[in-house]
Amino acid sequence: MDFIGIALQVIVILIALRYVVFIKQTRPLLILLLLLLGHQVLGASRQDHLPIHDVFDLAVPLISGIVLIGLVMRKPALKKREAIYREMFDKNQAVQLLIDPATGSIVDANPAASTFYGYSHAELQTMKINQINTLPPDVIYLEMQQALLEKRHFFFFRHRLASGEVRDVEVSAAPIEVEGQQLLYSIVHDITEKRQAERETRQLIHELDAFAYTAAHDLKAPLSIIMGYAQNLRYEIPQNDLHRDTLIKIEATTQKMGKIIDELLLFARSFEKEVVTFEVLDMGRIVDEVRNRLSPLIDQAKAELMVATTWPEAVGYAAWVEEAWVNFLTNALKYGGTPPRIMLGADSGDNGAVRFWVKDCGQGINEAQQAILFKPFQRLDKNNPESTGLGLWMTRRLIERQGGRVGVSSSPGEGSLFYFTLPTPDAAPAPPEDRQG
């Protein structure tokens, strides 16, 4: 056999082997090897060594047969698989699109897409995605590149229907290869009603907050009048008058009502701002402000405070964080021992957060009490008339709105450690009103 014939047969063998590897069926290759081995054994038994060109002469028809076997085995499997995928694409009730990310052309669309957008299948295949997506074409292209590079998989868009109506949609997109071409496979969900419900809920919350703020603010004035009258009457009547105790109770109850209103006002103000700006906090300054605010209580309790000299960076809203410190430190001054020994510090939390804490040396809190600590109107000290049961609940809500959480670690007889977490600068959340729902 001449060189050209051998070269052609080698090329055929390589092509066949590549084909066998491509279809991932090893049975035809095993058949080839067994036949060649059998032929060699038979030749050796006759003391007849088979020349190399005879091996090639034998291999070519064998490999051709393998290719034919592969085709026979592969075609039905591929047809069955393609039928399954087409059935999944066509029968799925979710809107599905195949998009060319280079041009934005809609390569294919399922019947659900035709029903949703109001275009026929043929019309959709002549359109580009920027005829549906309301974003500018250059922005759409950048978003498609994000999906193509798998940097993002979920997107929120507004899509225009054939009727001109615009709908809010959530799109899940991922790259796939079809006949050597990179396409984006997109599943589209209509979330218009969900978005509308979210907007209405936010509006209702703002209206309720405004009402609560106004109501609470207007209640402050009559309470001040009641307090003034009660004090004046108490000063006017004799020390041994039986009504004096009643007036004292009126003053105490009025003070408690005033404190509840103050806490509700603070909480309402947390929703009052349209935009809340989160920034890197100067925690040392905030803690100093808290100590100045509570200095009368600290002096009265003769408390010993041990405060960290350095603080890790965290992101939040300073006014809300100050209130969290005030609530935790106030509780520690009341229940942190006699006299209270209190430590204020910080350490690393979980998932890119910083944990700030107040530790006391009081009697501690059992598990049942810990379970209700941060719920509204729950008071552990039923004998304390000043307790409203709102302070820790309000602290939890304010901290959660900054992307953090609150907690307590305590055992009876071993004191308590109250803490809240805030994100680090590289893990800071968006302001509450700006987050995607």
Side-chain angles (χ1 to χ4, degrees):
M1 179 178 291
D2 59 11
F3 175 78
I4 295 176
I6 294 175
L8 289 174
Q9 293 182 33
V10 170
I11 291 171
V12 171
I13 292 173
L14 294 175
I15 293 173
L17 289 175
R18 183 180 183 278
Y19 176 79
V20 170
V21 172
F22 174 74
I23 64 174
K24 294 181 173 60
Q25 294 179 3
T26 57
R27 189 178 299 173
L29 182 60
L30 290 175
I31 293 172
L32 169 64
L33 294 175
L34 287 173
L35 287 174
L36 288 175
L37 180 62
H39 195 282
Q40 289 284 15
V41 171
L42 289 174
S45 66
R46 297 193 186 103
Q47 301 297 318
D48 182 16
H49 296 289
L50 193 65
I52 185 65
H53 62 270
D54 289 343
V55 174
F56 284 122
D57 288 341
L58 177 64
V60 170
L62 286 174
I63 293 172
S64 299
I66 291 169
V67 172
L68 290 174
I69 292 170
L71 285 171
V72 171
M73 297 173 66
R74 182 171 181 258
K75 280 188 174 180
L78 283 177
K79 286 184 178 179
K80 183 177 180 180
R81 188 177 301 173
E82 288 174 359
I84 292 173
Y85 290 157
R86 173 53 63 178
E87 189 84 358
M88 292 169 61
F89 187 76
D90 288 342
K91 295 296 180 67
N92 200 309
Q93 297 302 306
V95 175
Q96 300 183 59
L97 301 171
L98 283 178
I99 302 170
D100 183 349
T103 64
S105 299
I106 299 174
V107 177
D108 201 357
N110 69 344
S114 296
T115 302
F116 176 66
Y117 290 112
Y119 297 104
S120 68
H121 180 263
E123 287 175 319
L124 283 172
Q125 286 186 301
T126 64
M127 297 173 64
K128 292 188 176 182
I129 193 62
N130 61 10
Q131 294 174 262
I132 292 174
N133 197 316
T134 59
L135 289 174
D138 55 339
V139 178
I140 297 173
Y141 176 79
L142 292 176
E143 295 285 66
M144 288 192 296
Q145 295 306 305
Q146 292 286 311
L148 187 64
L149 298 173
E150 298 191 76
K151 292 183 178 180
R152 286 179 61 193
H153 294 287
F154 293 97
F155 303 84
F156 295 98
F157 297 128
R158 306 198 76 201
H159 281 187
R160 183 176 289 105
L161 311 185
S163 64
E165 181 185 0
V166 176
R167 308 288 289 181
D168 292 308
V169 297
E170 179 185 57
V171 179
S172 172
I176 63 171
E177 185 174 324
V178 179
E179 297 179 352
Q181 183 182 9
Q182 280 286 98
L183 300 177
L184 283 179
Y185 173 52
S186 299
I187 302 176
V188 182
H189 295 286
D190 184 3
I191 59 170
T192 305
E193 282 73 22
K194 177 184 175 183
R195 287 291 196 196
Q196 181 61 29
E198 290 172 352
R199 285 190 285 267
E200 291 175 356
T201 300
R202 284 196 296 268
Q203 180 62 29
L204 179 60
I205 289 173
H206 280 297
E207 291 174 359
L208 289 173
D209 291 334
F211 171 77
Y213 179 83
T214 302
H217 186 271
D218 290 346
L219 284 172
K220 290 285 288 183
L223 276 181
S224 300
I225 294 172
I226 293 172
M227 175 68 76
Y229 284 151
Q231 288 178 343
N232 288 336
L233 286 172
R234 182 164 56 85
Y235 293 147
E236 293 294 332
I237 65 176
Q239 290 285 342
N240 57 357
D241 193 302
L242 295 178
H243 296 296
R244 188 176 181 84
D245 290 339
T246 303
L247 293 171
I248 292 174
K249 290 178 181 178
I250 291 174
E251 290 179 37
T253 304
T254 306
Q255 287 177 341
K256 183 177 178 179
M257 290 178 65
K259 187 173 182 182
I260 292 174
I261 291 172
D262 287 339
E263 290 176 342
L264 290 175
L265 281 171
L266 173 65
F267 189 65
R269 287 192 197 104
S270 72
F271 294 92
E272 186 184 18
K273 292 178 176 289
E274 289 297 324
V275 178
V276 176
T277 303
F278 291 162
E279 59 186 0
V280 178
L281 300 168
D282 184 350
M283 196 60 74
R285 183 192 62 78
I286 293 173
V287 171
D288 287 341
E289 290 286 341
V290 171
R291 292 172 68 181
N292 289 334
R293 279 178 61 180
L294 299 181
S295 59
L297 285 178
I298 295 172
D299 295 339
Q300 182 181 351
K302 299 180 180 178
E304 178 185 356
L305 265 61
M306 290 161 280
V307 182
T309 56
T310 59
W311 298 92
E313 285 190 339
V315 173
Y317 186 56
W320 296 352
V321 174
E322 183 175 325
E323 292 303 321
W325 280 115
V326 166
N327 274 297
F328 282 175
L329 185 52
T330 300
N331 283 342
L333 290 169
K334 291 177 182 177
Y335 309 112
T338 308
R341 295 184 67 253
I342 304 169
M343 291 177 283
L344 283 69
D347 51 41
S348 297
D350 300 326
N351 302 321
V354 181
R355 188 178 73 153
F356 299 95
W357 45 263
V358 176
K359 179 174 174 53
D360 64 53
C361 299
Q363 296 181 354
I365 307 168
N366 61 42
E367 291 185 3
Q369 292 172 323
Q370 292 178 37
I372 64 171
L373 265 179
F374 295 96
K375 295 181 179 180
F377 302 107
Q378 298 294 328
R379 296 187 297 143
L380 299 187
D381 186 2
K382 305 294 185 181
N383 297 319
N384 182 4
E386 296 182 2
S387 177
T388 64
L390 290 173
L392 292 178
W393 168 75
M394 184 183 68
T395 298
R396 176 175 68 84
R397 295 296 301 270
L398 292 177
I399 292 299
E400 287 176 351
R401 282 174 62 77
Q402 298 172 85
R405 60 187 181 88
V406 298
V408 61
S409 175
S410 181
S411 297
E414 297 182 6
S416 303
L417 184 146
F418 283 82
Y419 66 86
F420 63 89
T421 68
L422 291 173
T424 56
D426 57 350
E433 286 76 17
D434 296 339
R435 296 178 196 171
Q436 292 281 3

